[in-house]
Amino acid sequence: MGFLPPEVSFAQQRHKISAVLWCHVLALHLLLVKMESQREVVEKGKDLLPVREPGQDYHKYFNAKEYNKMYYTNIEGHVGAMIECVIRFYHKVFSQGVRGQCLLDVGSGPTIYQVLSACENFEEIYLSDYIEQNRQQLQCWLEASPDAFDWNHIIKFVCKLEGNQVSWEEKTAKLRKRVRAVMHCDVRHDPPLDTDRAPFDCINSSFCLDAACTDEKTFIDAVTHLAKLLKPGGLLLTVVVTCGKFYSVGKERFGFAFVMTEDVARHAMEVAGLVVTICESHSIPDMINDPNVKITGFLNMAATKPQSY
């Protein structure tokens, strides 16, 4: 009747199944190759993203709200660990008795964490930044606007460091009361800001000088400009990124124009006539693998202006 023997039929069926399976394997392989190729194109595209430069690029491309959301929503991961370290640095300095009448925070950005410990020791605090939208965000928080970034989790963390001597609500109210003004500043100019409150007892600057300066000379000049605003015996506190390439805010990348090192930072302090009293060098090699931040470390520094200067 034309039927094939059972063993022949089974062999043909096995051959057909093998062929189908091979086609599926080949199709899967081609799909994986295509996906990997697309991933490489995306990664290459990321590497080709323009890196924004100090100055006018910040006015045009920087997004203050996105910056706070990306880096301060929580203090976890590599960036969070760095921010926590800076908060602890300021707590340590101000808990050791550094106090006075007036403190200036230079390059505040849209953030207030860097003056939370200072508000216990200084009657007048002045915030300042180069970018208008950063100043607007600071003003929003000072006015308790519903649009302001929520700093409560970081305020609570600082209160815990301080032994909960005051509640986080009391610290919030105290800082808002003691901030007397939010001013425009440009560390590349001499003087960096127009104010009749100088000289100051203390000046803070966190993650500003490294990003604002285009080369080592500009950095030295900026430190010198700040030193001129200090009283004799005054204190300059700085936090700068070392060996940074860029950091991201949303889809934008902002670069570091020169290689900051501890030697460069110390030399700038010396040229400005300041005496370095604290220099903490922190390495964060894992952050080099973070797609949003390419830096390898940072410095926490304190330097005094001699009484006779």
Side-chain angles (χ1 to χ4, degrees):
M1 297 178 63
F3 290 108
L4 291 172
E7 62 274 10
V8 176
S9 177
F10 176 75
Q12 287 179 330
Q13 290 176 2
R14 184 174 62 182
H15 178 73
K16 179 184 279 188
I17 291 171
S18 297
V20 171
L21 287 174
W22 171 247
C23 287
H24 282 301
V25 170
L26 180 60
L28 179 60
H29 173 72
L30 292 174
L31 178 62
L32 291 173
V33 169
K34 182 179 180 180
M35 290 174 64
E36 178 63 19
S37 176
Q38 291 175 337
R39 187 190 67 80
E40 290 178 355
V41 169
V42 170
E43 292 300 320
K44 186 176 181 181
K46 287 181 179 179
D47 290 338
L48 294 175
L49 287 174
V51 176
R52 306 304 179 186
E53 298 179 354
Q56 289 300 316
D57 275 0
Y58 273 78
H59 285 296
K60 187 174 182 179
Y61 299 106
F62 192 83
N63 185 315
K65 287 186 176 181
E66 185 65 24
Y67 174 76
N68 279 347
K69 179 181 176 182
M70 284 185 66
Y71 295 110
Y72 300 99
T73 298
N74 58 61
I75 46 176
E76 299 175 352
H78 306 312
V79 175
M82 179 173 68
I83 299 303
E84 180 179 335
C85 183
V86 174
I87 290 173
R88 289 181 181 276
F89 167 65
Y90 282 125
H91 164 66
K92 179 179 70 174
V93 170
F94 292 116
S95 66
Q96 291 176 349
V98 173
R99 60 181 63 250
Q101 182 66 28
C102 297
L103 178 141
L104 170 66
D105 189 57
V106 172
S108 304
T111 69
I112 54 95
Y113 73 93
Q114 67 277 11
V115 291
L116 285 169
S117 290
C119 77
E120 301 297 333
N121 296 19
F122 289 84
E123 294 295 322
E124 300 176 26
I125 294 177
Y126 297 85
L127 305 179
S128 65
D129 200 77
Y130 177 66
I131 310 171
E132 182 178 359
Q133 62 169 299
N134 283 347
R135 300 194 299 273
Q136 289 173 345
Q137 284 299 303
L138 292 171
Q139 204 64 52
C140 278
W141 183 83
L142 291 170
E143 296 170 0
S145 166
D147 295 331
F149 183 74
D150 184 358
W151 290 100
N152 292 348
H153 59 297
I154 291 183
I155 298 172
K156 291 174 183 177
F157 176 74
V158 172
C159 286
K160 185 177 179 181
L161 283 180
E162 296 173 353
N164 293 313
Q165 298 176 30
V166 298
S167 70
W168 68 270
E169 294 95 340
E170 290 173 315
K171 181 173 281 292
T172 299
K174 181 178 288 187
L175 180 56
R176 284 178 171 145
K177 180 180 179 181
R178 293 195 168 177
V179 172
R180 301 302 173 86
V182 178
M183 302 179 289
H184 172 268
C185 76
D186 186 342
V187 295
R188 298 166 301 177
H189 291 172
D190 185 15
L193 67 167
D194 183 15
T195 177
D196 58 0
R197 296 305 301 158
F200 295 91
D201 299 290
C202 182
I203 297 177
N204 291 356
S205 184
S206 309
F207 304 117
C208 166
L209 301 179
D210 44 11
C213 298
T214 54
D215 52 35
E216 185 176 338
K217 180 183 182 304
T218 311
F219 175 69
I220 293 172
D221 289 344
V223 173
T224 302
H225 299 160
L226 296 185
K228 291 179 181 179
L229 297 177
L230 276 176
K231 290 180 179 178
L235 183 67
L236 175 64
L237 302 172
T238 56
V239 180
V240 293
V241 163
T242 54
C243 300
K245 291 185 177 181
F246 67 83
Y247 69 97
S248 301
V249 178
K251 296 181 179 180
E252 298 291 347
R253 288 179 171 180
F254 296 87
F256 299 94
F258 71 104
V259 178
M260 177 71 71
T261 65
E262 181 176 336
D263 287 343
V264 169
R266 284 182 175 275
H267 177 61
M269 300 294 170
E270 180 182 349
V271 172
L274 303 176
V275 178
V276 175
T277 56
I278 300 174
C279 186
E280 300 174 351
S281 179
H282 299 274
S283 177
I284 39 177
D286 290 342
M287 195 179 285
I288 202 66
N289 298 317
D290 190 317
N292 294 319
V293 184
K294 296 293 184 186
I295 66 175
T296 60
F298 62 101
L299 297 173
N300 295 334
M301 299 186 72
T304 57
K305 185 174 184 177
Q307 288 284 356
S308 58
Y309 195 80

